[in-house]
Amino acid sequence: MNLPENTFKQALRAGRRQLGAFLALGDAHAAELMASSGFDWLLIDCEHGPNDLPSALAQVQALAGYPVQAVLRPSDHDAARIKQYLDLGVQNLLAPMVDSAAQAQALVAAMRYPPRGIRGVGAGMARAARWGNVANYYAQAESELCLAVQIETLAGLENLDAIAAVDGVDGVFLGPADLAAALGHLGEPMHAQVRAAVEQALPRIRAAGKAAGVYCAEPDLASNYAALGASFFLIAADAILLRTAAAAALGRFAG
């Protein structure tokens, strides 16, 4: 039995555009619905969404039958939780609030087995190795794992070049909502200063040889960011799509 091929990682390395959405409802049925919609990747959000290990596992399993890549955002940088997510079979992580190269290096170490890292060894009991049925799992695992780190603070922006230079970081993702707060514009992710920060950061990420990503729900702005080097985008969220559609349906009858 072979490891699943990580087409998300391949796409990031090739610079192919990848469109994704948040899974914030914490529900496998909703995740499968989103998987049937044609997105390239879906982000299981354990930072702001009501997710735990069992709900993350259920969503990973729900997505497995579709041509979409599961990416998981942990709540923090805890190496023990990262180990558990990887053992569930998660191959792609988007780590929030990365402010320094040291933090990025610690995340890389959490995803690698010794002697290159600190990931605990237990694949015989793990879905990731199909409970021991993947031949040479330990030798193969690292090549199919992908780490993207999220820049969301002033410290992250200041240390961007050093973070992007870390070996084992495959992509750097910009979070406009938290950057807006850090820049003094809480609740204004489209503020000109936030857009300028994103526009200045994207070419620096690409210059470091890493994939650049950003949350952007506006097609024209996404095209502008793509011209500056962005290749992977979050463009929607299941919870927002449901709320918007529900309000629109009600509005048609409200008169």
Side-chain angles (χ1 to χ4, degrees):
M1 188 176 292
N2 296 319
L3 276 176
E5 189 177 3
N6 192 335
T7 57
F8 182 71
K9 183 174 185 176
Q10 293 173 4
L12 294 195
R13 288 188 168 179
R16 294 194 301 272
R17 188 181 71 165
Q18 299 290 286
L19 299 180
F22 287 96
L23 298 180
L25 292 173
D27 181 81
H29 199 65
E32 187 170 3
L33 184 155
M34 292 290 286
S36 73
S37 301
F39 287 98
D40 298 303
W41 62 291
L42 292 169
L43 182 69
I44 301 168
D45 191 7
C46 297
E47 183 188 22
H48 294 295
N51 280 302
D52 56 13
L53 283 168
S55 71
L57 171 60
Q59 289 169 84
V60 169
Q61 291 172 321
L63 300 185
Y66 295 84
V68 63
Q69 284 284 294
V71 182
L72 185 140
R73 180 164 69 174
S75 59
D76 54 26
H77 301 174
D78 184 80
R81 263 191 296 274
I82 288 173
K83 171 179 61 181
Q84 289 179 299
Y85 292 135
L86 298 181
D87 282 349
L88 292 183
V90 172
Q91 291 183 304
N92 304 292
L93 288 183
L94 176 61
M97 296 288 182
V98 175
D99 294 335
S100 69
Q103 288 181 340
Q105 289 163 348
L107 287 162
V108 172
M111 296 181 69
R112 291 175 170 175
Y113 287 115
R116 288 166 57 79
I118 62 169
R119 180 181 174 186
V121 179
M125 298 181 290
R127 179 180 179 273
R130 299 301 185 261
W131 304 277
N133 286 313
V134 174
N136 300 316
Y137 173 78
Y138 296 120
Q140 298 181 59
E142 185 180 315
S143 65
E144 297 297 340
L145 295 179
C146 178
L147 172 65
V149 298
Q150 200 160 347
I151 303 299
E152 306 178 83
T153 66
L154 294 180
L157 287 176
E158 291 169 1
N159 295 317
L160 176 59
D161 296 328
I163 293 168
V166 171
D167 177 57
V169 170
D170 298 287
V172 180
F173 190 89
L174 303 169
D178 281 291
L179 284 176
L183 291 166
H185 307 293
L186 180 62
E188 300 181 75
M190 296 292 287
H191 191 280
Q193 190 176 1
V194 179
R195 290 178 57 174
V198 172
E199 290 169 353
Q200 292 166 15
L202 291 172
R204 292 165 61 189
I205 298 167
R206 289 300 301 133
K210 303 299 171 69
V214 63
Y215 173 81
C216 182
E218 299 295 331
D220 290 343
L221 184 56
S223 294
N224 179 52
Y225 288 158
L228 293 169
S231 63
F232 67 113
F233 299 85
L234 284 168
I235 62 170
D238 56 0
I240 296 173
L241 290 171
L242 179 59
R243 174 183 59 81
T244 302
L250 183 62
R252 292 199 299 271
F253 290 86

